[in-house]
């Protein structure tokens, strides 16, 4: 979420790379400075491996004077760290969450979906190869034959929730959950 609270700090502690989305509006530039300051504090004290993978310009509207100006300011100040791909302001991107789908499955031909696919290609093209073979194996997605049954069932299309509002994919209960009842007491691990 667009905040600098505990959830964002925890995500930075757990992450290796940070992609920073920046709306093409001036108030977003103020938030960017605060976010980068927090990221630097986290890097110094809690996660020395954290790095800025890139800055992503979002909600770009070429019909206005503001969006190109903000994009130019960000590119001038941050240079090579800014991704070439720019995500446009798009109604289909805004509608996708209400259908419980990512934009690339809701309307793959939309400008927004094509932009996110272009971003994925740009990130993949700049991704550094993993140094050790174990890291490469972990980076490889498992093929469909190795997925547990509940995971392969959950990989189907998302269905919208009540009133067309999407809540994501509803998955089946994990195997063995019925044997784990009553739940363990969280502090001692006993029933």
């Amino acid at each position: 979420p667009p905040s600098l609270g505990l959830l964002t700090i925890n995500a930075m502690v757990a992450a290796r790379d940070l992609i920073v989305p920046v709306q093409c509006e001036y108030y977003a530039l103020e938030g960017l400075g605060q976010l980068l300051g927090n990221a630097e504090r986290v890097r110094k004290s809690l996660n020395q491996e954290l790095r800025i993978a890139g800055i992503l310009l979002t909600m770009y509207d070429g019909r206005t004077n503001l969006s190109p100006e903000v994009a130019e300011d960000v590119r001038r100040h941050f240079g090579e760290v800014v991704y070439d791909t720019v995500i446009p302001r798009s109604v289909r991107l805004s509608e996708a969450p209400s259908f419980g789908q990512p934009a690339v499955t809701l309307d793959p031909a939309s400008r927004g979906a094509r932009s996110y696919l272009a971003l994925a290609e740009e990130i993949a093209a700049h991704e550094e190869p993993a140094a050790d073979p174990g890291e490469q194996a972990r980076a490889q997605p498992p093929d469909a034959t190795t997925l547990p049954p509940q995971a392969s069932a959950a990989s189907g299309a998302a269905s919208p929730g009540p009133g067309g509002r999407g809540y994501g994919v509803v998955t089946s209960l994990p195997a063995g959950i019925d044997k784990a009842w009553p739940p363990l007491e969280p502090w001692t691990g006993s029933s």
Side-chain angles (χ1 to χ4, degrees):
S3 71
L4 299 173
L6 189 58
L7 185 60
T8 303
I9 300 299
N10 286 341
M12 284 193 250
V13 170
R16 188 188 77 188
D17 294 331
L18 183 62
I19 295 176
V20 182
V22 178
Q23 290 182 8
C24 291
E25 297 177 2
Y26 277 113
Y27 283 129
L29 294 178
E30 291 179 18
L32 176 62
Q34 292 175 350
L35 177 72
L36 294 177
N38 279 359
E40 181 60 21
R41 284 194 281 292
V42 168
R43 189 188 65 73
K44 284 181 179 176
S45 60
L46 300 169
N47 181 0
Q48 288 77 29
E49 294 181 12
L50 182 66
R51 68 184 180 105
I52 305 292
I55 295 175
L56 175 64
L57 297 169
T58 64
M59 299 183 87
Y60 182 90
D61 189 349
R63 300 170 297 175
T64 66
N65 291 331
L66 181 62
S67 287
E69 288 175 11
V70 171
E72 183 182 325
D73 286 350
V74 171
R75 288 187 192 284
R76 185 177 38 239
H77 190 269
F78 292 102
E80 295 293 317
V81 177
V82 182
Y83 288 112
D84 293 331
T85 304
V86 175
I87 308 300
R89 186 175 294 274
S90 166
V91 172
R92 294 307 274 174
L93 288 177
S94 300
E95 291 174 343
S98 68
F99 289 100
Q101 294 183 26
V104 295
T105 60
L106 179 65
D107 187 359
S110 69
R111 286 181 27 223
R114 290 194 322 255
S115 297
Y116 274 109
L117 291 172
L119 173 66
E121 289 174 3
E122 183 177 353
I123 291 170
H126 289 94
E127 184 67 25
E128 299 169 10
D132 77 31
E135 190 172 326
Q136 284 179 337
R138 287 188 297 275
Q140 295 292 329
D143 67 58
T145 59
T146 61
L147 290 175
Q150 68 270 16
S152 57
S155 64
S159 56
R165 303 260 183 247
Y167 300 107
V169 177
V170 177
T171 61
S172 59
L173 292 174
I177 192 75
D178 55 337
K179 295 181 178 92
W181 193 258
L184 297 176
E185 202 280 316
W187 302 111
T188 62
S190 61
S191 322

